Amino acid sequence: MNSDLSKTQSFFELYDLRRSDALDGKRAHVVTFGCQQNEADSERLRGMLATMGCSLAERAEDADVILLNTCAIREHAEMKALSLLGRFKALRKSNPELIIGVLGCMAAEPRRVDMLKRDFHYVDFTLPPSEIHKLPAVIAEVVQNRKRTFVPYVSEPRIVEDIPVSRTSTFKSWVSVMYGCNNFCTYCIVPYVRGRERSRDSAAVIKECRELVAAGTKEITLLGQNVNSYSSDLTFAELISEIARIEGDFIIRFMTSHPKDVSPELIEAIRRYKGKIAPYFHLPLQSGSDKILRSMNRTYTKEKYLETVRALRAAVPEIALSTDVIIGFPEEEDGDFLETLDVLSTVRFDMVYAFLYSPRNGTRAALMENRVERSVMDARMARLIEMQNEISLECNLPFVGKRVRVLVESSDEKDGVLVYTGRTPDARLVHFKSCDAELGEFADVLIERAGISCLYGK
Ligand code: 5AD
Ligand code: SF4
């Protein structure tokens, strides 16, 4: 069990000063790449910056501190972060006092950290995801001693509770329930950069959710690399049920689930608390070929995956489903790819996120032979997108003429008309015109038109 208190520490026990004035009157610019966990981490980075007396700068040019919260999931994500970092060199030249830190998953890769040390002299510090609570100490070190600091990756870190948080939204909230991953899918770098699985105390999670609901949040997303392996005094199904019993008008989402761990109890919880738990499930498939699934160490088969989908739909017929697919894993042949397409056409996902396989240093798959050629990957991707676009559109068409409930998230002026954007509980993106929609409130929207990735209405 992970609820052992010795595994959890309080931020304020680690730092006896509630407010360090190292950055008093200074401004910080925080850039976030990657997943929702990184978004949630950035809210904590901003929270800690605020306790250090630092306000936020919209533009990097106006900042005294720049924090780059990076993603390492694919080569492309790393390249994007490095190219942005390259642009900060000029800023540092014109302002030698500027502090630049690299955080997130790239800051946990020894190879990347070595490169930053060697080739990016203007990077003052690196801080891996499990160590973000050290931000005040690291910044104090950099400010006071002008000493470059590279905080090492920890494979079995503690959970630090009560890190100050500055939430971006008043109505959409991230709540981490567990961190890290023990699955070691052979393509994935996450277990090497976010460390072993550890779960937060259920009481701390429930308390955080209660406070958010009392403060008026409308949507809570429970986060974890694999939420279904949450383990404390409660299982994930028990935890989400407890949260669903909190009174108030809000919905609960969760990300991400591993198909091997979707329990009948979780499916039952989604059915039982239908109005509260969103009827939406993101269930990463990765491949439809048993051969590739085995080589990926996914520990389920195509048939087992389809069984889980059937169980979900039997319990909650209106549930929306989305998935992740990797195209071009080593040894993927045409027949394997067709198995993936077969799952897509059998399940008819509302949304599919497809990625070209990207070898990650240190993972088992990076050593595998028989890589798939880029041109073959591209052709498979094009074929998948063409097929899925048709399915996604067909999933959206039945909503035309119907009224849906939408949490209004943003508004934007287009050609002189205010267009609002929001999501339905089953995660469909809706653009609509309205005379009285309020951001952060639920609205009833009449759908007039359906697209591949969104609905349009009024
Ligand atoms: N290459 C391509 N896609 C990857 N993903 C994870 N690792 C890789 C990789 N090395 C995809 C998976 C996962 C999603 C978050 O990113 O589909 O579910
Ligand atoms: Fe990127 Fe994965 Fe790290 Fe999120 S956990 S930042 S997606 S590598």
Side-chain angles (χ1 to χ4, degrees):
M1 272 205 313
N2 277 341
S3 62
D4 177 359
L5 277 180
S6 68
K7 290 194 174 161
T8 302
Q9 276 183 305
S10 162
F11 180 79
F12 294 110
E13 273 166 29
L14 293 166
Y15 299 101
D16 47 358
L17 278 179
R18 288 220 161 207
R19 192 170 180 287
S20 129
D21 57 6
L23 294 180
D24 232 352
K26 301 270 198 257
R27 298 217 282 162
H29 179 68
V30 181
V31 190
T32 312
F33 291 93
C35 63
Q36 285 99 338
Q37 185 57 57
N38 264 15
E39 296 283 344
D41 286 349
S42 284
E43 292 187 340
R44 295 209 142 65
L45 297 174
R46 291 191 197 97
M48 287 185 281
L49 288 166
T51 63
M52 285 183 268
C54 188
S55 59
L56 294 179
E58 281 281 325
R59 304 180 331 141
E61 291 76 2
D62 304 328
D64 305 288
V65 180
I66 298 178
L67 302 185
L68 205 57
N69 195 2
T70 62
C71 171
I73 197 94
R74 283 171 292 274
E75 175 95 15
H76 180 66
E78 295 203 318
M79 289 308 127
K80 269 197 336 209
L82 288 175
S83 114
L84 184 60
L85 188 58
R87 293 195 3 225
F88 296 155
K89 188 176 184 176
L91 295 181
R92 171 63 164 267
K93 214 167 197 169
S94 55
N95 173 14
E97 299 290 299
L98 176 66
I99 297 173
I100 300 177
V102 175
L103 303 92
C105 293
M106 271 172 74
E109 285 182 282
R111 193 177 62 109
R112 285 290 176 214
V113 173
D114 285 346
M115 186 199 77
L116 293 169
K117 261 188 209 170
R118 201 183 51 230
D119 304 335
F120 290 76
H121 287 278
Y122 54 98
V123 170
D124 295 291
F125 69 92
T126 61
L127 191 58
S130 70
E131 307 304 299
I132 58 168
H133 55 277
K134 294 182 179 156
L135 183 75
V138 170
I139 289 207
E141 181 75 16
V142 172
V143 171
Q144 281 150 23
N145 307 326
R146 261 334 295 194
K147 185 166 175 269
R148 295 181 86 197
T149 307
F150 303 93
V151 177
Y153 162 73
V154 181
S155 72
E156 299 203 18
R158 291 186 175 190
I159 290 180
V160 178
E161 288 287 348
D162 307 326
I163 298 178
V165 55
S166 167
R167 297 193 187 262
T168 314
S169 164
T170 52
F171 54 88
K172 273 179 70 157
S173 319
W174 313 117
V175 174
S176 298
V177 303
M178 52 88 65
Y179 306 92
C181 179
N182 287 351
N183 291 322
F184 290 96
C185 302
T186 55
Y187 51 81
C188 188
I189 197 163
V190 169
Y192 303 92
V193 290
R194 289 203 174 254
R196 298 291 62 72
E197 276 177 8
R198 56 234 181 251
S199 297
R200 284 180 69 194
D201 239 25
S202 62
V205 174
I206 294 165
K207 177 169 170 270
E208 186 175 344
C209 292
R210 273 190 203 293
E211 288 169 357
L212 286 167
V213 172
T217 203
K218 292 293 188 295
E219 181 182 294
I220 291 178
T221 303
L222 304 176
L223 293 179
Q225 249 67 47
N226 177 14
V227 286
N228 297 309
S229 55
Y230 175 84
S231 129
S232 67
D233 53 328
L234 303 182
T235 62
F236 183 64
E238 290 165 343
L239 178 72
I240 200 169
S241 301
E242 282 292 327
I243 298 168
R245 285 195 281 268
I246 298 174
E247 260 176 59
D249 189 16
F250 70 101
I251 58 173
I252 307 165
R253 302 186 184 284
F254 54 94
M255 290 231 111
T256 298
S257 302
H258 192 303
K260 77 175 165 62
D261 297 318
V262 179
S263 64
E265 292 78 18
L266 176 61
I267 297 177
E268 171 54 20
I270 301 172
R271 189 196 64 77
R272 178 151 176 216
Y273 297 103
K274 245 187 209 175
K276 275 281 175 59
I277 303 178
Y280 166 65
F281 212 112
H282 181 66
L283 195 61
L285 166 70
Q286 312 302 6
S287 171
S289 151
D290 288 345
K291 177 188 96 185
I292 299 294
L293 286 171
R294 216 174 310 119
S295 171
M296 287 176 162
N297 190 31
R298 290 293 283 176
T299 71
Y300 55 84
T301 59
K302 174 185 176 187
E303 187 43 40
K304 186 87 209 338
Y305 183 94
L306 291 173
E307 237 171 65
T308 305
V309 167
R310 284 194 288 270
L312 277 166
R313 286 197 167 137
V316 187
E318 73 277 23
I319 200 160
L321 297 173
S322 63
T323 199
D324 290 342
V325 165
I326 295 178
I327 292 175
F329 189 77
E331 308 250 356
E332 184 188 72
E333 292 170 80
D334 282 340
D336 300 306
F337 177 64
L338 289 179
E339 296 279 359
T340 302
L341 292 188
D342 185 50
V343 178
L344 264 48
S345 66
T346 306
V347 175
R348 300 178 60 78
F349 293 99
D350 294 272
M351 184 72 95
V352 173
Y353 302 90
F355 307 103
L356 298 185
Y357 170 65
S358 166
R360 306 284 61 213
N361 216 279
T363 62
R364 267 160 59 202
L367 304 173
M368 290 179 189
E369 290 171 6
N370 296 330
R371 295 244 180 108
V372 178
E373 264 179 52
R374 179 61 197 247
S375 60
V376 174
M377 289 204 228
D378 288 340
R380 287 180 188 162
M381 177 66 99
R383 189 163 167 198
L384 184 149
I385 290 175
E386 191 186 322
M387 186 184 112
Q388 182 57 40
N389 279 352
E390 210 169 289
I391 297 174
S392 291
L393 181 63
E394 284 165 14
C395 290
N396 281 338
L397 280 172
F399 290 89
V400 175
K402 294 214 172 97
R403 289 192 166 277
V404 295
R405 192 168 191 242
V406 172
L407 178 59
V408 188
E409 293 178 12
S410 61
S411 61
D412 200 12
E413 214 179 282
K414 269 196 197 114
D415 307 325
V417 189
L418 204 54
V419 177
Y420 292 86
T421 298
R423 252 175 222 282
T424 60
D426 60 354
R428 281 170 223 283
L429 200 63
V430 183
H431 299 296
F432 64 101
K433 292 178 201 131
S434 165
C435 36
D436 59 356
E438 295 271 358
L439 298 192
E441 297 292 335
F442 290 105
D444 268 328
V445 179
L446 176 65
I447 301 303
E448 299 175 306
R449 195 157 61 82
I452 289 165
S453 55
C454 58
L455 302 170
Y456 302 88
K458 67 176 180 191

